[in-house]
Amino acid sequence: TIMLTPGDIVHTVTADEIAAGVAEITGLTSETEYTAKLMNGTRTRGTLVFKTAIDIGDAILVEPGDDLKALVEAANNGDTFALMPGEYNIAGDINISTSVGIVGVRPYDKPVIYGAILRINGGAGIRLKDVVMDGTTSDGNQTIVYNEDLPAGVYGPAVIENCVVRNYTKGVFYVSKIALIESVTITGTTYYNIECSGGDFIDFRQGLTRNFVFTNNTAYDSALSRDFFRMDAGGS
């Protein structure tokens, strides 16, 4: 048998599965970490920890040959773009004016987005999950830039989960405008080679967020001679 937790799922291995060396187990929950144990009676013969892929549901499936910039800029509020593994090369900024999600379909094979600066406008929110953001071919700005003053409203939540962010020159999160963000939550993300030339790693100046959570992340080779967290007293 194969036993899976959570859920106490038991799959009886068939002769065909043994011959093929492959067992297919259905009914698992998307975006969930499972532990599978291969059992011979009461003896454990092998253990595997894995995470299931996202159930794209109503999300918009995107392939590496698609124009990700055009898709995101034309998005409706609440759209989620589910990216297949591969490389996505962006020429210039992506201007985000509606709340969107950009997620990788397979957490174990993250899509790589090269050169993108995400400019957030007009109160939009942003979610990034299971993607690699690589700034090697960008114009050197921060990964996420709040692009417009919003003195009379609130920007939607910013959520970054299980991503890799690398090779950005100025920093990774920039709020120099008069702007209030509902919340910023960054978890399980790896940052490296973020030089911080001309800016700080996470950089709030005239803006602020009601809640800021930075948990279980890894950062290295970053923030040369600059602040890691900057939140100015004059923030709005």
Side-chain angles (χ1 to χ4, degrees), residues 108-124:
Y108 52 87
D109 191 5
K110 294 177 173 59
V112 183
I113 303 172
Y114 285 101
I117 305 296
L118 305 180
R119 292 190 174 271
I120 314 299
N121 302 287

Side-chain angles (χ1 to χ4, degrees), residues 29-34 49-53 107-108 129-130 162:
T29 303
S30 68
E31 298 186 84
T32 301
E33 185 173 283
Y34 285 93
V49 178
F50 66 95
K51 188 174 183 179
T52 50
Y108 52 87
K129 187 174 190 300
D130 292 322
N162 303 321

Side-chain angles (χ1 to χ4, degrees), residues 83-88 104-113 129-132 161-164 188:
L83 277 56
M84 292 297 290
E87 296 183 357
Y88 297 78
V105 171
R106 297 173 183 159
Y108 52 87
D109 191 5
K110 294 177 173 59
V112 183
I113 303 172
K129 187 174 190 300
D130 292 322
V131 299
V132 178
E161 307 171 79
N162 303 321
C163 292
V164 176

Side-chain angles (χ1 to χ4, degrees), residues 118-158:
L118 305 180
R119 292 190 174 271
I120 314 299
N121 302 287
I126 180 67
R127 181 192 184 207
L128 300 175
K129 187 174 190 300
D130 292 322
V131 299
V132 178
M133 301 292 297
D134 191 308
T136 302
T137 57
S138 74
D139 65 4
N141 214 313
Q142 300 234 12
T143 315
I144 296 175
V145 177
Y146 282 77
N147 205 42
E148 292 181 343
D149 290 327
L150 199 70
V154 182
Y155 277 93

Side-chain angles (χ1 to χ4, degrees), residues 142 169-170 174 196-200 203 205 226:
Q142 300 234 12
T169 304
K170 193 174 181 181
Y174 192 45
C196 297
S197 174
D200 300 282
D203 194 340
R205 300 195 185 194
R226 298 293 299 230

Side-chain angles (χ1 to χ4, degrees), residues 80-96:
T80 295
F81 298 93
L83 277 56
M84 292 297 290
E87 296 183 357
Y88 297 78
N89 293 288
I90 306 300
D93 301 333
I94 299 179
N95 288 288
I96 297 174

Side-chain angles (χ1 to χ4, degrees), residues 32-63:
T32 301
E33 185 173 283
Y34 285 93
T35 298
K37 291 185 177 182
L38 180 63
M39 307 297 295
N40 183 2
T42 59
R43 296 185 178 184
T44 301
R45 310 305 295 167
T47 302
L48 176 68
V49 178
F50 66 95
K51 188 174 183 179
T52 50
I54 185 173
D55 179 1
I56 66 170
D58 294 330
I60 300 164
L61 189 66
V62 183
E63 302 279 357

